[in-house]
Amino acid sequence: MIGGGTGAFIGDTHRKSALSSGQFELIGGIFSSDNSRSLEFARKEGFDLKRCYKNVEELIAGETALSEEERMQLIAVVTPNASHFPIIKELIAHQFHVMCEKPMTLNVDEAKVIEDLVRDNDITFALAHTYTGYPMVRQMRALVEKGLLGEIQRIDAQYYQGWINSIIHGNETRIKGVWRLNPEVAGASCCMGDIGVHAFNLIEYITGLNVQEVLADLNTIREDISLDLDGTVLLRFTEKLKGVIRATQVAGGVENDLNIGIYGSKASLKWSQENPNHLYLLTDNEPARIYKPGNSYNSDLCELGQTMPAGHPEGIYEALANIYKGIAKSIRKEQFAHGEFPTVHDGVRGMQFIHAVIKSNRTNNTWVNIEN
Amino acid sequence: MIGGGTGAFIGDTHRKSALSSGQFELIGGIFSSDNSRSLEFARKEGFDLKRCYKNVEELIAGETALSEEERMQLIAVVTPNASHFPIIKELIAHQFHVMCEKPMTLNVDEAKVIEDLVRDNDITFALAHTYTGYPMVRQMRALVEKGLLGEIQRIDAQYYQGWINSIIHGNETRIKGVWRLNPEVAGASCCMGDIGVHAFNLIEYITGLNVQEVLADLNTIREDISLDLDGTVLLRFTEKLKGVIRATQVAGGVENDLNIGIYGSKASLKWSQENPNHLYLLTDNEPARIYKPGNSYNSDLCELGQTMPAGHPEGIYEALANIYKGIAKSIRKEQFAHGEFPTVHDGVRGMQFIHAVIKSNRTNNTWVNIEN
Amino acid sequence: MIGGGTGAFIGDTHRKSALSSGQFELIGGIFSSDNSRSLEFARKEGFDLKRCYKNVEELIAGETALSEEERMQLIAVVTPNASHFPIIKELIAHQFHVMCEKPMTLNVDEAKVIEDLVRDNDITFALAHTYTGYPMVRQMRALVEKGLLGEIQRIDAQYYQGWINSIIHGNETRIKGVWRLNPEVAGASCCMGDIGVHAFNLIEYITGLNVQEVLADLNTIREDISLDLDGTVLLRFTEKLKGVIRATQVAGGVENDLNIGIYGSKASLKWSQENPNHLYLLTDNEPARIYKPGNSYNSDLCELGQTMPAGHPEGIYEALANIYKGIAKSIRKEQFAHGEFPTVHDGVRGMQFIHAVIKSNRTNNTWVNIEN
Amino acid sequence: MIGGGTGAFIGDTHRKSALSSGQFELIGGIFSSDNSRSLEFARKEGFDLKRCYKNVEELIAGETALSEEERMQLIAVVTPNASHFPIIKELIAHQFHVMCEKPMTLNVDEAKVIEDLVRDNDITFALAHTYTGYPMVRQMRALVEKGLLGEIQRIDAQYYQGWINSIIHGNETRIKGVWRLNPEVAGASCCMGDIGVHAFNLIEYITGLNVQEVLADLNTIREDISLDLDGTVLLRFTEKLKGVIRATQVAGGVENDLNIGIYGSKASLKWSQENPNHLYLLTDNEPARIYKPGNSYNSDLCELGQTMPAGHPEGIYEALANIYKGIAKSIRKEQFAHGEFPTVHDGVRGMQFIHAVIKSNRTNNTWVNIEN
């Protein structure tokens, strides 16, 4: 991994997800441009410090010196936008497989250079359009492909957040401290580059269609901000198929409201990221349907991405992980709050409950004291 | 880990969650009572085969022979119910920390033996009441503790599933094949022991109250089934505080509908497992409130258990993990479906989109072709 | 109408609904036991004062003196519970058709007397189990009748309210002022008689089944209250079909949460009164379905009760009625808030909007000032 | 009323709503351009045939001949769009108060003529922007006015329907039969004129702001259709406040999905017509709030428009009306389905239920047969 050290939410997400895939394990990288902080992070996480490098050149030199078996198999690049291009260019040229955070580069020319390099070096390159990994997003793609919607007549995607409000209505220092608002680091766009492009990617992923033309109206909200924090983009796919992307980072109180609607002559599909396990299919002549993951009616592509039985949101992994965290504290004799994990006493209570229930049922439904 | 080999959903959940906690890594165990299957699983997962044991005695012997540093720190027991007691008794007696699937034992006497052993050996023992690890369940506990509800006047929990329908309305062989329906393996109860007890645990966890008496009415649904698949349990906490637990495994089409309502003189709380990031607080004189994880208004206990920024359901880890799985296939030159991960071409499209948007906005909101 | 004068919500609901049915119009009655208040109400509403009677005897005398054409066709009885029996007994004996608020009487013996009287006098008698008039409740009945659920395996209904909280936690005077808490007026039960019985009626209405036996656990919540405010009732339909009714009036902040679930071997139905236009059908092998009124896939009985095109909640009648109220104030030159009805200026703005939109679209999607 | 005869949904809605307002009663009008059909309708509804006129001239002549007391007080105009202007011009000139369906006229010039006439004749003129009559829409207006949102930063409204799909994908005859698709009757726009303008009106109503400029992209979907069925309109309020209206009639399976979001620097509001009693307020630092009608925390303007206690959707009037319809059939000895109204037998069952419940509770929670 390059980037994603202490305090970086996105780095942490990549690490957890790569582990959870059962396919990758993080073994080293560059976790900060400041080598001492990088080493500190590596130490804390228990990585081999020899594989915690100062810069990309050293990383390439160090890893290529290793046998193919030992060498890092995939490098996740989760640095701020402007550094993506120089880093991934080098990595690809040295034939490392790459997982890159989006946006891939700062401009189209750079992007095309990368595309050529990937082809020429025959490596695997992936971009972190995470939302295309949701089972129900994949199911949407499958349903569209099967033709359930008839002819698509309108496409509508929105990505609304409100997190930047507290920053831009704070003081000037605060505004300057956010790299996403700095064109030199973030590139030509804040809102569209950060989140609008996810909505764009979802549309092309799900429908298999290409946007041909756009007409955009962006808003910086304040005079002293130079990048867009909000905007609407009209889309044209064909003469008779239009759509719209709306994205904003100033929707006060809105968390991460990405949603999409594909409206067809026969049926429509609606999905929302904050409720990712419910996919709605609406038709003229039948009751609306709710598709949920973990069911045999879903496509292979959808079910491939489903790790839980139906009805268990994936948050249950984290719920159980929270309990494991409490256990670890207890084993280490650290302090922990009552309630961090269920104890043997909960086990006794549970057995008392079950047996009192059975006894009450057997004795013609009478009251039974749970502790006797 | 003991149990949880090939095909076991619950073992897989424990492995993923322990990893995700950042505190534990699985290094060995007993993955099947059939040693060859156990070894096969260990081989597939890449565990050290020397630490893949034949039975509990060997495991204890092998691990205690190791230095304290190397020794397994925690053993997760995820075997069928009847084997919990003999296994965990031995483990605790040899001072292993234990994470046990519920129900802890087959009866109350066994449970009390375990409770004594845990105390005497001063080890950490945890029971997998996973739902208490959800951030919003912890927030409920905190809100009740703060007294927001006034005096609690009614408590209501339900746990409805429908998965057993297809089994009990199938043929006799199918019914016999399910260990949960066999009293010798599952214990005195199917529905109440498997899921009712989760509802019971949630109630005591959230309210800090103890159920005093129960009155139960259970239903086996069919003559040829001896354990309960459905039931209602009246609860008495105090003379003037009553409640009810309803649990069923025959609610056709229902997936995993665990929910709870705590009704107080000043306010009420409602939470549902299938929508775990929304906690509703209802009051007489103010608009209802929706608490969500990742927000500063939550209690420490809640936020401790939250790993994502607000608005990102934890399923996003699995979404990104799905993409990593696709990447792994590509690196291994295995076949994969188009759509398993976003490619460099998606990166080029994204850059084209962003730049066409910026250009359109700069040219007084005119149409811009995305590919030029 | 007997009862339902000034300030009575239930009387007002009957009047509006009878009018809205297009079948009845209120022409007189007894609107208060205090004749002067009754007359005052009748005057305000514009009724013929001659048909505003002092008591039931006068009403019967007065109306039977009229020709059959002129005579009141139906008498709605919306008085407190205890008076239902003497009033309706007389009315039926004089062959008036009756619409009676529930509960019909104070006890079973009275109820059977009424049943006999209705049969002997061959009149139409209806009880105000309003919820059976909802289109989707009728659709549930039709779907159960069609056998979509397979064998019913569990039935579950709840009716939760919180309105009585502010009364019982207020002062003693307040408690005494509420007739529902007084056994002499309300009968043997408060919560079960007022709302639990609605849940009971819904169950029998939808499933066509009869409850055979009940086991109840009620709660008065406070020592100084003699009637139940809360309770759970176990139901037995047959040996292998059980259910439960839960009802409470002390669920703080809950408004009118009546819901029902019918769980079958093949599918289940769920409906909630606070969202009455959505009926959920859950099955094991197919996506859940949402039935909504105004669609051709519904049964005749359902669509008979639907007056709006799909997607328009019936609240739209009241929304438009609100605008008519504003118009009336304006015509009467009374004061009204800006915003009570849309004016001609809104009409001009609307036309400007439409024409600016058309012009912008015709001029290659350029900006058009709306006022030019 | 002018227009709105047999089969006209909108005429029926006006009649019911006017009645429900308690302020108006329909007494006559012109119910069809074909006088015999008009008379037939009037006869069916029981109107005075003398006040069922052939045309507007006759209506004006007939009514002005009456005393002011007897004269029609308000005339609802619910004819197709093109006829609005000539009709209302005449009515206003003769000093009738008018309630007009939208769009008010076919173009801006006509609209301004009407505006002048209304002012000069000092009459009450209302436009049927029904959605502004919803209590929670009024509450939104009040919350914005109070400044709860801080500075508004984005405004977003959508109005999606799918009803026209089955027409435009049917045959040519079907397309020609729909007046909304005919520019001579419907005016310059179908989708924007019919529904987009509602979204526009809601925005201006709720925020008190004026749209300054629009940029529109409309879609006729098919070559053989000349009016828009779909479109997106960018809005500019001030330099730094932008918004968007999206409207479509081709969203397959969507019923009447009008919704609006107002996003401010401090908080945001979201409301949806298909769930009209829930208004969401989102803020950065507090749990989201759900405002519902019938609560004391609402503004006067909101509560003025609320006729039900909290928790009862207004559909309950129609539910009870459905029962009255069943009663009417029974009184008239017409055939009716079992289940059209609750009978005396339901009353007996209810009393049996209540008394069995009370008895079970008194006898220490034992089973009680309901029929003994």
Side-chain angles (χ1 to χ4, degrees), chain A residues 153 156 160 218 242 246 252 268, chain D residues 153 156 160 169 218 242 246 252 268:
Chain A
Q153 302 186 145
D156 204 341
Y160 280 16
L218 307 182
K242 301 180 177 186
R246 295 163 298 125
S268 303
Chain D
Q153 302 187 143
D156 204 342
Y160 280 16
H169 300 300
L218 307 182
K242 301 180 175 185
R246 294 164 297 125
S268 303

mmCIF file with all atom_site columns, all heavy atoms in Angstrom, chain A residues 153 156 160 218 242 246 252 268, chain D residues 153 156 160 169 218 242 246 252 268:
data_model
loop_
_atom_site.group_PDB
_atom_site.id
_atom_site.type_symbol
_atom_site.label_atom_id
_atom_site.label_alt_id
_atom_site.label_comp_id
_atom_site.label_asym_id
_atom_site.label_entity_id
_atom_site.label_seq_id
_atom_site.pdbx_PDB_ins_code
_atom_site.Cartn_x
_atom_site.Cartn_y
_atom_site.Cartn_z
_atom_site.occupancy
_atom_site.B_iso_or_equiv
_atom_site.pdbx_formal_charge
_atom_site.auth_seq_id
_atom_site.auth_comp_id
_atom_site.auth_asym_id
_atom_site.auth_atom_id
_atom_site.pdbx_PDB_model_num
ATOM 1   N N   . GLN A 1 153 ? -35.480 4.712  -20.725 1.00 0.00 ? 153 GLN A N   1
ATOM 2   C CA  . GLN A 1 153 ? -36.023 5.998  -21.142 1.00 0.00 ? 153 GLN A CA  1
ATOM 3   C C   . GLN A 1 153 ? -35.484 7.174  -20.346 1.00 0.00 ? 153 GLN A C   1
ATOM 4   O O   . GLN A 1 153 ? -35.654 8.327  -20.745 1.00 0.00 ? 153 GLN A O   1
ATOM 5   C CB  . GLN A 1 153 ? -37.553 5.956  -21.036 1.00 0.00 ? 153 GLN A CB  1
ATOM 6   C CG  . GLN A 1 153 ? -38.141 4.833  -21.889 1.00 0.00 ? 153 GLN A CG  1
ATOM 7   C CD  . GLN A 1 153 ? -39.662 4.818  -21.952 1.00 0.00 ? 153 GLN A CD  1
ATOM 8   O OE1 . GLN A 1 153 ? -40.213 4.477  -22.975 1.00 0.00 ? 153 GLN A OE1 1
ATOM 9   N NE2 . GLN A 1 153 ? -40.328 5.176  -20.883 1.00 0.00 ? 153 GLN A NE2 1
ATOM 10  N N   . ASP A 1 156 ? -31.032 8.417  -13.891 1.00 0.00 ? 156 ASP A N   1
ATOM 11  C CA  . ASP A 1 156 ? -30.971 9.454  -12.884 1.00 0.00 ? 156 ASP A CA  1
ATOM 12  C C   . ASP A 1 156 ? -30.115 8.969  -11.720 1.00 0.00 ? 156 ASP A C   1
ATOM 13  O O   . ASP A 1 156 ? -30.414 7.948  -11.111 1.00 0.00 ? 156 ASP A O   1
ATOM 14  C CB  . ASP A 1 156 ? -32.411 9.656  -12.390 1.00 0.00 ? 156 ASP A CB  1
ATOM 15  C CG  . ASP A 1 156 ? -32.614 11.008 -11.802 1.00 0.00 ? 156 ASP A CG  1
ATOM 16  O OD1 . ASP A 1 156 ? -31.634 11.657 -11.442 1.00 0.00 ? 156 ASP A OD1 1
ATOM 17  O OD2 . ASP A 1 156 ? -33.788 11.400 -11.694 1.00 0.00 ? 156 ASP A OD2 1
ATOM 18  N N   . TYR A 1 160 ? -25.261 12.718 -2.754  1.00 0.00 ? 160 TYR A N   1
ATOM 19  C CA  . TYR A 1 160 ? -25.345 13.878 -1.862  1.00 0.00 ? 160 TYR A CA  1
ATOM 20  C C   . TYR A 1 160 ? -24.632 13.586 -0.556  1.00 0.00 ? 160 TYR A C   1
ATOM 21  O O   . TYR A 1 160 ? -24.844 12.530 0.067   1.00 0.00 ? 160 TYR A O   1
ATOM 22  C CB  . TYR A 1 160 ? -26.807 14.215 -1.553  1.00 0.00 ? 160 TYR A CB  1
ATOM 23  C CG  . TYR A 1 160 ? -27.526 14.987 -2.632  1.00 0.00 ? 160 TYR A CG  1
ATOM 24  C CD1 . TYR A 1 160 ? -27.019 15.068 -3.918  1.00 0.00 ? 160 TYR A CD1 1
ATOM 25  C CD2 . TYR A 1 160 ? -28.729 15.653 -2.373  1.00 0.00 ? 160 TYR A CD2 1
ATOM 26  C CE1 . TYR A 1 160 ? -27.682 15.773 -4.914  1.00 0.00 ? 160 TYR A CE1 1
ATOM 27  C CE2 . TYR A 1 160 ? -29.398 16.362 -3.364  1.00 0.00 ? 160 TYR A CE2 1
ATOM 28  C CZ  . TYR A 1 160 ? -28.867 16.413 -4.629  1.00 0.00 ? 160 TYR A CZ  1
ATOM 29  O OH  . TYR A 1 160 ? -29.531 17.105 -5.613  1.00 0.00 ? 160 TYR A OH  1
ATOM 30  N N   . LEU A 1 218 ? -22.163 23.935 -12.302 1.00 0.00 ? 218 LEU A N   1
ATOM 31  C CA  . LEU A 1 218 ? -21.517 23.676 -11.016 1.00 0.00 ? 218 LEU A CA  1
ATOM 32  C C   . LEU A 1 218 ? -21.620 24.895 -10.108 1.00 0.00 ? 218 LEU A C   1
ATOM 33  O O   . LEU A 1 218 ? -21.892 26.003 -10.564 1.00 0.00 ? 218 LEU A O   1
ATOM 34  C CB  . LEU A 1 218 ? -20.044 23.308 -11.237 1.00 0.00 ? 218 LEU A CB  1
ATOM 35  C CG  . LEU A 1 218 ? -19.785 22.177 -12.237 1.00 0.00 ? 218 LEU A CG  1
ATOM 36  C CD1 . LEU A 1 218 ? -18.297 21.868 -12.338 1.00 0.00 ? 218 LEU A CD1 1
ATOM 37  C CD2 . LEU A 1 218 ? -20.560 20.922 -11.865 1.00 0.00 ? 218 LEU A CD2 1
ATOM 38  N N   . LYS A 1 242 ? -31.909 10.440 -22.283 1.00 0.00 ? 242 LYS A N   1
ATOM 39  C CA  . LYS A 1 242 ? -31.235 11.464 -21.506 1.00 0.00 ? 242 LYS A CA  1
ATOM 40  C C   . LYS A 1 242 ? -31.188 11.064 -20.041 1.00 0.00 ? 242 LYS A C   1
ATOM 41  O O   . LYS A 1 242 ? -31.870 10.155 -19.604 1.00 0.00 ? 242 LYS A O   1
ATOM 42  C CB  . LYS A 1 242 ? -31.982 12.792 -21.672 1.00 0.00 ? 242 LYS A CB  1
ATOM 43  C CG  . LYS A 1 242 ? -32.046 13.240 -23.121 1.00 0.00 ? 242 LYS A CG  1
ATOM 44  C CD  . LYS A 1 242 ? -32.774 14.546 -23.289 1.00 0.00 ? 242 LYS A CD  1
ATOM 45  C CE  . LYS A 1 242 ? -32.729 14.968 -24.767 1.00 0.00 ? 242 LYS A CE  1
ATOM 46  N NZ  . LYS A 1 242 ? -33.302 16.316 -24.964 1.00 0.00 ? 242 LYS A NZ  1
ATOM 47  N N   . ARG A 1 246 ? -26.745 14.420 -10.258 1.00 0.00 ? 246 ARG A N   1
ATOM 48  C CA  . ARG A 1 246 ? -26.723 15.506 -9.284  1.00 0.00 ? 246 ARG A CA  1
ATOM 49  C C   . ARG A 1 246 ? -25.776 15.116 -8.164  1.00 0.00 ? 246 ARG A C   1
ATOM 50  O O   . ARG A 1 246 ? -25.842 13.993 -7.671  1.00 0.00 ? 246 ARG A O   1
ATOM 51  C CB  . ARG A 1 246 ? -28.129 15.734 -8.726  1.00 0.00 ? 246 ARG A CB  1
ATOM 52  C CG  . ARG A 1 246 ? -29.120 16.221 -9.785  1.00 0.00 ? 246 ARG A CG  1
ATOM 53  C CD  . ARG A 1 246 ? -30.553 16.056 -9.326  1.00 0.00 ? 246 ARG A CD  1
ATOM 54  N NE  . ARG A 1 246 ? -30.857 14.668 -9.100  1.00 0.00 ? 246 ARG A NE  1
ATOM 55  C CZ  . ARG A 1 246 ? -31.328 14.171 -7.980  1.00 0.00 ? 246 ARG A CZ  1
ATOM 56  N NH1 . ARG A 1 246 ? -31.568 14.972 -6.942  1.00 0.00 ? 246 ARG A NH1 1
ATOM 57  N NH2 . ARG A 1 246 ? -31.560 12.883 -7.854  1.00 0.00 ? 246 ARG A NH2 1
ATOM 58  N N   . GLY A 1 252 ? -26.697 19.773 3.992   1.00 0.00 ? 252 GLY A N   1
ATOM 59  C CA  . GLY A 1 252 ? -26.567 19.730 5.456   1.00 0.00 ? 252 GLY A CA  1
ATOM 60  C C   . GLY A 1 252 ? -27.242 18.507 6.076   1.00 0.00 ? 252 GLY A C   1
ATOM 61  O O   . GLY A 1 252 ? -28.443 18.290 5.900   1.00 0.00 ? 252 GLY A O   1
ATOM 62  N N   . SER A 1 268 ? -38.764 -0.271 -13.972 1.00 0.00 ? 268 SER A N   1
ATOM 63  C CA  . SER A 1 268 ? -37.727 0.629  -13.479 1.00 0.00 ? 268 SER A CA  1
ATOM 64  C C   . SER A 1 268 ? -37.022 -0.015 -12.297 1.00 0.00 ? 268 SER A C   1
ATOM 65  O O   . SER A 1 268 ? -37.581 -0.861 -11.614 1.00 0.00 ? 268 SER A O   1
ATOM 66  C CB  . SER A 1 268 ? -38.348 1.958  -13.030 1.00 0.00 ? 268 SER A CB  1
ATOM 67  O OG  . SER A 1 268 ? -39.074 2.552  -14.079 1.00 0.00 ? 268 SER A OG  1
ATOM 68  N N   . GLN D 1 153 ? -28.669 26.193 0.217   1.00 0.00 ? 153 GLN D N   1
ATOM 69  C CA  . GLN D 1 153 ? -27.526 25.997 -0.679  1.00 0.00 ? 153 GLN D CA  1
ATOM 70  C C   . GLN D 1 153 ? -27.859 25.173 -1.913  1.00 0.00 ? 153 GLN D C   1
ATOM 71  O O   . GLN D 1 153 ? -27.102 25.157 -2.870  1.00 0.00 ? 153 GLN D O   1
ATOM 72  C CB  . GLN D 1 153 ? -26.388 25.316 0.099   1.00 0.00 ? 153 GLN D CB  1
ATOM 73  C CG  . GLN D 1 153 ? -25.972 26.122 1.320   1.00 0.00 ? 153 GLN D CG  1
ATOM 74  C CD  . GLN D 1 153 ? -24.753 25.578 2.033   1.00 0.00 ? 153 GLN D CD  1
ATOM 75  O OE1 . GLN D 1 153 ? -23.937 26.330 2.528   1.00 0.00 ? 153 GLN D OE1 1
ATOM 76  N NE2 . GLN D 1 153 ? -24.612 24.268 2.097   1.00 0.00 ? 153 GLN D NE2 1
ATOM 77  N N   . ASP D 1 156 ? -33.960 20.946 -4.769  1.00 0.00 ? 156 ASP D N   1
ATOM 78  C CA  . ASP D 1 156 ? -34.072 19.807 -5.654  1.00 0.00 ? 156 ASP D CA  1
ATOM 79  C C   . ASP D 1 156 ? -35.484 19.246 -5.584  1.00 0.00 ? 156 ASP D C   1
ATOM 80  O O   . ASP D 1 156 ? -35.949 18.855 -4.515  1.00 0.00 ? 156 ASP D O   1
ATOM 81  C CB  . ASP D 1 156 ? -33.084 18.764 -5.115  1.00 0.00 ? 156 ASP D CB  1
ATOM 82  C CG  . ASP D 1 156 ? -32.654 17.802 -6.173  1.00 0.00 ? 156 ASP D CG  1
ATOM 83  O OD1 . ASP D 1 156 ? -33.334 17.714 -7.190  1.00 0.00 ? 156 ASP D OD1 1
ATOM 84  O OD2 . ASP D 1 156 ? -31.631 17.146 -5.953  1.00 0.00 ? 156 ASP D OD2 1
ATOM 85  N N   . TYR D 1 160 ? -42.072 12.299 -10.678 1.00 0.00 ? 160 TYR D N   1
ATOM 86  C CA  . TYR D 1 160 ? -41.973 11.180 -11.615 1.00 0.00 ? 160 TYR D CA  1
ATOM 87  C C   . TYR D 1 160 ? -43.273 10.384 -11.618 1.00 0.00 ? 160 TYR D C   1
ATOM 88  O O   . TYR D 1 160 ? -43.818 10.044 -10.568 1.00 0.00 ? 160 TYR D O   1
ATOM 89  C CB  . TYR D 1 160 ? -40.839 10.232 -11.200 1.00 0.00 ? 160 TYR D CB  1
ATOM 90  C CG  . TYR D 1 160 ? -39.459 10.693 -11.595 1.00 0.00 ? 160 TYR D CG  1
ATOM 91  C CD1 . TYR D 1 160 ? -39.206 12.006 -11.969 1.00 0.00 ? 160 TYR D CD1 1
ATOM 92  C CD2 . TYR D 1 160 ? -38.380 9.801  -11.591 1.00 0.00 ? 160 TYR D CD2 1
ATOM 93  C CE1 . TYR D 1 160 ? -37.935 12.422 -12.318 1.00 0.00 ? 160 TYR D CE1 1
ATOM 94  C CE2 . TYR D 1 160 ? -37.101 10.212 -11.948 1.00 0.00 ? 160 TYR D CE2 1
ATOM 95  C CZ  . TYR D 1 160 ? -36.880 11.519 -12.306 1.00 0.00 ? 160 TYR D CZ  1
ATOM 96  O OH  . TYR D 1 160 ? -35.624 11.912 -12.652 1.00 0.00 ? 160 TYR D OH  1
ATOM 97  N N   . HIS D 1 169 ? -46.469 3.300  -25.764 1.00 0.00 ? 169 HIS D N   1
ATOM 98  C CA  . HIS D 1 169 ? -45.977 2.061  -26.351 1.00 0.00 ? 169 HIS D CA  1
ATOM 99  C C   . HIS D 1 169 ? -47.131 1.185  -26.830 1.00 0.00 ? 169 HIS D C   1
ATOM 100 O O   . HIS D 1 169 ? -46.962 0.024  -27.146 1.00 0.00 ? 169 HIS D O   1
ATOM 101 C CB  . HIS D 1 169 ? -45.078 1.321  -25.360 1.00 0.00 ? 169 HIS D CB  1
ATOM 102 C CG  . HIS D 1 169 ? -43.884 2.127  -24.961 1.00 0.00 ? 169 HIS D CG  1
ATOM 103 N ND1 . HIS D 1 169 ? -42.957 2.553  -25.870 1.00 0.00 ? 169 HIS D ND1 1
ATOM 104 C CD2 . HIS D 1 169 ? -43.475 2.636  -23.766 1.00 0.00 ? 169 HIS D CD2 1
ATOM 105 C CE1 . HIS D 1 169 ? -42.019 3.273  -25.249 1.00 0.00 ? 169 HIS D CE1 1
ATOM 106 N NE2 . HIS D 1 169 ? -42.321 3.344  -23.978 1.00 0.00 ? 169 HIS D NE2 1
ATOM 107 N N   . LEU D 1 218 ? -35.520 18.892 -22.549 1.00 0.00 ? 218 LEU D N   1
ATOM 108 C CA  . LEU D 1 218 ? -36.741 18.074 -22.548 1.00 0.00 ? 218 LEU D CA  1
ATOM 109 C C   . LEU D 1 218 ? -36.615 16.912 -23.512 1.00 0.00 ? 218 LEU D C   1
ATOM 110 O O   . LEU D 1 218 ? -35.757 16.909 -24.392 1.00 0.00 ? 218 LEU D O   1
ATOM 111 C CB  . LEU D 1 218 ? -37.943 18.960 -22.928 1.00 0.00 ? 218 LEU D CB  1
ATOM 112 C CG  . LEU D 1 218 ? -38.106 20.240 -22.104 1.00 0.00 ? 218 LEU D CG  1
ATOM 113 C CD1 . LEU D 1 218 ? -39.362 20.999 -22.544 1.00 0.00 ? 218 LEU D CD1 1
ATOM 114 C CD2 . LEU D 1 218 ? -38.162 19.944 -20.612 1.00 0.00 ? 218 LEU D CD2 1
ATOM 115 N N   . LYS D 1 242 ? -28.458 27.429 -6.582  1.00 0.00 ? 242 LYS D N   1
ATOM 116 C CA  . LYS D 1 242 ? -28.941 26.751 -7.776  1.00 0.00 ? 242 LYS D CA  1
ATOM 117 C C   . LYS D 1 242 ? -29.844 25.585 -7.369  1.00 0.00 ? 242 LYS D C   1
ATOM 118 O O   . LYS D 1 242 ? -29.880 25.190 -6.216  1.00 0.00 ? 242 LYS D O   1
ATOM 119 C CB  . LYS D 1 242 ? -27.763 26.235 -8.590  1.00 0.00 ? 242 LYS D CB  1
ATOM 120 C CG  . LYS D 1 242 ? -26.821 27.356 -9.014  1.00 0.00 ? 242 LYS D CG  1
ATOM 121 C CD  . LYS D 1 242 ? -25.659 26.852 -9.826  1.00 0.00 ? 242 LYS D CD  1
ATOM 122 C CE  . LYS D 1 242 ? -24.838 28.052 -10.319 1.00 0.00 ? 242 LYS D CE  1
ATOM 123 N NZ  . LYS D 1 242 ? -23.757 27.627 -11.215 1.00 0.00 ? 242 LYS D NZ  1
ATOM 124 N N   . ARG D 1 246 ? -36.682 17.842 -11.885 1.00 0.00 ? 246 ARG D N   1
ATOM 125 C CA  . ARG D 1 246 ? -36.717 16.700 -12.796 1.00 0.00 ? 246 ARG D CA  1
ATOM 126 C C   . ARG D 1 246 ? -38.148 16.194 -12.840 1.00 0.00 ? 246 ARG D C   1
ATOM 127 O O   . ARG D 1 246 ? -38.775 16.030 -11.798 1.00 0.00 ? 246 ARG D O   1
ATOM 128 C CB  . ARG D 1 246 ? -35.788 15.590 -12.292 1.00 0.00 ? 246 ARG D CB  1
ATOM 129 C CG  . ARG D 1 246 ? -34.312 15.984 -12.324 1.00 0.00 ? 246 ARG D CG  1
ATOM 130 C CD  . ARG D 1 246 ? -33.473 15.035 -11.477 1.00 0.00 ? 246 ARG D CD  1
ATOM 131 N NE  . ARG D 1 246 ? -33.866 15.113 -10.092 1.00 0.00 ? 246 ARG D NE  1
ATOM 132 C CZ  . ARG D 1 246 ? -34.242 14.092 -9.350  1.00 0.00 ? 246 ARG D CZ  1
ATOM 133 N NH1 . ARG D 1 246 ? -34.260 12.870 -9.869  1.00 0.00 ? 246 ARG D NH1 1
ATOM 134 N NH2 . ARG D 1 246 ? -34.608 14.259 -8.108  1.00 0.00 ? 246 ARG D NH2 1
ATOM 135 N N   . GLY D 1 252 ? -41.388 3.902  -15.830 1.00 0.00 ? 252 GLY D N   1
ATOM 136 C CA  . GLY D 1 252 ? -42.206 2.682  -15.772 1.00 0.00 ? 252 GLY D CA  1
ATOM 137 C C   . GLY D 1 252 ? -42.447 2.202  -14.350 1.00 0.00 ? 252 GLY D C   1
ATOM 138 O O   . GLY D 1 252 ? -41.509 1.928  -13.620 1.00 0.00 ? 252 GLY D O   1
ATOM 139 N N   . SER D 1 268 ? -31.278 20.300 6.533   1.00 0.00 ? 268 SER D N   1
ATOM 140 C CA  . SER D 1 268 ? -31.973 20.041 5.275   1.00 0.00 ? 268 SER D CA  1
ATOM 141 C C   . SER D 1 268 ? -33.348 19.457 5.558   1.00 0.00 ? 268 SER D C   1
ATOM 142 O O   . SER D 1 268 ? -33.575 18.862 6.610   1.00 0.00 ? 268 SER D O   1
ATOM 143 C CB  . SER D 1 268 ? -31.164 19.046 4.433   1.00 0.00 ? 268 SER D CB  1
ATOM 144 O OG  . SER D 1 268 ? -29.873 19.509 4.194   1.00 0.00 ? 268 SER D OG  1
#
